[in-house]
Amino acid sequence: MRPILAALAALMILGTAAPAMAVGDTVNLIFNALLPGRGQAQRGLYTKAVVLGGVTVAGYVGLYASQINYNRSVEQYDDEKDTWESYRLSLSNGVPVSAFDITTTGTRMQDSWNQADHRYNVRNAFIGVLAVTYTLNLIDLLLSEKQTGELSDPDQEPSMMIGRTRDGFMVYRTIHF
Amino acid sequence: MKKMTYRIALCATAALVLVLGCSKKHEDFPDPLGVSAPQKVMNLSVTNPQLFDYDLDWDIGDPGTVEYYRVYWSLDGFQFAMGADSVLTTSVSFAAPLPVAAFGVTVVSDEFVEGAMVTAEVP
């Protein structure tokens, strides 16, 4: 799981470096794939861009927060486990350990294990959300038509055209009767 | 502004990589210690034949599982301190430097687990 996460994060880093790089069509597609919503925004599909971008940001924030929570649970579990193992060592060396301490530590260790297990699943759910978002974004980018400005019906005249003059541009509007 | 946004995104991503990369996993739940709570002493009685001298006596259900006893004493009846360790008999005479309010006795089993304390107030 960790290599996948690292790769995902590395792709994010590459994505954030996009403006600094030379951007061709393919490169642009790659960066759009790395930053969900970016490509949709470039095509003017702002609702889709906001949804994809929002879910991605929420996914990363959730992943970050859930990972921190999970780390805390693991630390707590490790502490209780160390205490538990020190009891085992004491008992094997003939050093008395209180039954109350054994019971309390055992309960705490089980609780922190359960908590860590739950937080691990929450963290993985955020990874799943990100994976689905990235997949949907990629599918959307690959299936969407490239906006070239060409008309789908060549016989149809464009309703608006831009022409170049000697010292600027001129906008033409064709009106049919 | 755009550059700043990308820098913030870069820092956030670096922090995420750091957090994910440094994470440990919860694993290897340890085996049980394989010990059980020892029995308690019964009928603990304290007599005070002389000032600062105390005689303690108690019974035990199954002496075969007892490694030794521990005797605790308390000046206020709440905070107990160990007065005698590794007591092998079920009665002991105790000379305290101060007037004692209560005594407590615990069993250390042959698995070296110390059980719950049974207390008795000094009459």
Side-chain angles (χ1 to χ4, degrees), chain B residues 3-70:
Chain B
K3 273 186 180 177
M4 178 65 81
T5 307
Y6 277 105
R7 276 178 191 165
I8 290 169
L10 187 65
C11 289
T13 310
L16 183 68
V17 171
L18 200 67
V19 170
L20 293 179
C22 296
S23 75
K24 289 198 289 183
K25 202 167 177 288
H26 67 297
E27 52 197 359
D28 301 332
F29 194 83
D31 295 330
L33 295 179
V35 293
S36 52
Q39 57 190 320
K40 292 180 184 176
V41 300
M42 298 176 292
N43 307 322
L44 174 62
S45 65
V46 183
T47 52
N48 188 198
Q50 288 183 359
L51 189 65
F52 302 153
D53 282 349
Y54 305 91
D55 290 335
L56 281 75
D57 187 77
W58 61 88
D59 298 325
I60 190 74
D62 180 13
T65 59
V66 178
E67 189 71 19
Y68 54 82
Y69 302 95
R70 279 178 166 175

Side-chain angles (χ1 to χ4, degrees), chain A residues 16 67 70 88 97 99 117, chain B residues 6 23-24 26 31 68 114:
Chain A
T16 55
Q67 180 66 46
Y70 173 62
R88 189 191 305 280
V97 180
D117 215 37
Chain B
Y6 277 105
S23 75
K24 289 198 289 183
H26 67 297
D31 295 330
Y68 54 82
E114 185 178 9

Side-chain angles (χ1 to χ4, degrees), chain A residues 23-81:
Chain A
V23 179
D25 277 353
T26 310
V27 175
N28 197 39
L29 179 69
I30 291 170
F31 287 128
N32 288 345
L34 297 177
L35 291 171
R38 186 174 182 258
Q40 289 79 1
Q42 282 179 344
R43 297 203 314 273
L45 304 170
Y46 294 112
T47 306
K48 205 184 271 186
V50 166
V51 170
L52 282 170
V55 171
T56 305
V57 170
Y60 273 105
V61 170
L63 176 58
Y64 186 78
S66 60
Q67 180 66 46
I68 288 173
N69 279 338
Y70 173 62
N71 286 353
R72 283 181 187 157
S73 294
V74 172
E75 275 176 25
Q76 193 180 346
Y77 164 70
D78 283 345
D79 287 346
E80 300 296 345
K81 188 179 161 188

